[in-house]
Amino acid sequence: LDEDMFALHFEGLNFELRRYDLSLFEGLPGRAKDAAHGITSYFTKHENSFSHWSDLFRSSVLYKFGGIYTDLDNIWFRPIEVMIIFTEL
């Protein structure tokens, strides 16, 4: 993804484009680090390996930086602010 095009397309919105490498997985629990360093070997051997990578990536980002993850097709019955307040308690 071209960073200039991203910036132009999302100008004025609260988005940030970041690039990560395997250093993201440093400081995680041992099993998560092991999975991260070994996951590239799954790409050619296992179906859905890229979905496993994205699951590991998302959970690692949440572990290190906090936040709330939701898919775009989720239906929220209450405002997200309720979850934000709940997680800050």
Side-chain angles (χ1 to χ4, degrees):
L1 179 63
D2 180 79
E3 292 180 30
D4 293 331
M5 286 298 290
F6 182 90
L8 181 64
H9 188 72
F10 292 104
E11 184 177 355
L13 299 175
N14 189 19
F15 283 93
E16 183 178 345
L17 179 63
R18 291 187 182 188
R19 297 189 188 278
Y20 292 97
D21 57 21
L22 289 178
S23 67
L24 170 70
F25 303 107
E26 297 303 319
L28 294 178
R31 291 183 67 156
K33 281 198 315 192
D34 293 344
H37 291 289
I39 199 149
T40 54
S41 67
Y42 286 87
F43 290 156
T44 57
K45 299 177 188 173
H46 299 281
E47 188 177 331
N48 296 326
S49 60
F50 288 104
S51 67
H52 296 307
W53 169 255
S54 60
D55 291 341
L56 179 62
F57 177 80
R58 277 193 299 270
S59 61
S60 299
V61 169
L62 288 172
Y63 181 86
K64 290 189 92 166
F65 303 108
I68 297 171
Y69 173 79
T70 183
D71 282 321
L72 291 176
D73 61 350
N74 285 7
I75 299 173
W76 287 78
F77 292 106
R78 295 187 183 99
I80 194 168
E81 289 84 3
V82 173
M83 284 300 301
I84 294 169
I85 292 168
F86 179 75
T87 59
E88 291 176 349
L89 295 178

